[in-house]
Amino acid sequence: MTDAQTPPASGGRSATARHSSGVIATGDQARIEQRTLVLPPGALQAAVPDKGIARLNNLPTLDSAVFKGRDDALAFLRALPSTGTGIVAQSVRGMGGIGKSTLALHHARGHLAAERGPVWWIEASSSAAVTAGLAALASALNPVHAALPLDEAAEWAVAWLQGRTGWLLIFDNAEEPADLRPYLGRLSTG
């Protein structure tokens, strides 16, 4: 916009600015609040050193040390490709209470033991829960992202995952494929 195109201000206490590097406040009782975010020393550095990324996880505790009768299903999951480019999406489906989450948890622990990449468990019962889970991953990778709104932190996590291979995300209790579609369509290396 040229100066001639800048619309004039109207009203007794109005202001107009073509460019502003500060704050313009007009009107009675106008308040300007500034907040300062104080980060701990080293917060702008990676929270998890590159060599520790492979062990990064938020896996739930095993509810039982006994895991019998699922060797074929676990072997099938282990046989899925886990290196190279391209995402491998596998759905474990069945009636409630038959051990789908436990199967996925045992598979994830094996992935973590192989130190292939980070393993992150995301409650996926709603799109908001998926966003919160991805935001938690961003914060675990670097605590500075805890200050971001959840959707921005989730976007950062997706961008981080896009640039790496070997990671594993588990979306537990995903009822609606539409809740995952925005992420699975953009993630192609895990």
Side-chain angles (χ1 to χ4, degrees), residues 72-83:
D72 291 343
L74 196 54
F76 176 80
L77 289 174
R78 285 188 185 130
L80 292 172
S82 60
T83 59

Side-chain angles (χ1 to χ4, degrees), residues 48-174:
V48 180
D50 284 343
K51 62 185 176 186
I53 296 251
R55 302 211 42 84
L56 180 68
N57 77 89
N58 69 334
L59 295 176
T61 305
L62 288 170
D63 55 357
S64 172
V66 178
F67 186 68
K68 301 247 183 222
R70 295 295 183 101
D71 293 336
D72 291 343
L74 196 54
F76 176 80
L77 289 174
R78 285 188 185 130
L80 292 172
S82 60
T83 59
T85 58
I87 190 167
V88 176
Q90 179 63 48
S91 174
V92 179
R93 299 175 9 166
M95 294 183 62
I98 64 169
K100 300 176 299 294
S101 294
T102 301
L103 175 66
L105 181 55
H106 278 271
H107 174 66
R109 291 211 177 269
H111 188 90
L112 185 62
E115 295 191 16
R116 295 180 188 150
V119 177
W120 207 252
W121 190 277
I122 297 176
E123 172 59 39
S125 57
S126 68
S127 60
V130 173
T131 299
L134 288 167
L137 172 59
S139 295
L141 289 165
N142 192 328
V144 74
H145 299 298
L148 293 175
L150 288 180
D151 57 337
E152 289 180 30
E155 285 298 315
W156 185 90
V158 170
W160 188 90
L161 291 168
Q162 286 173 327
R164 285 153 183 85
T165 61
W167 47 264
L168 174 64
L169 295 181
I170 293 135
F171 295 102
D172 192 33
N173 294 320

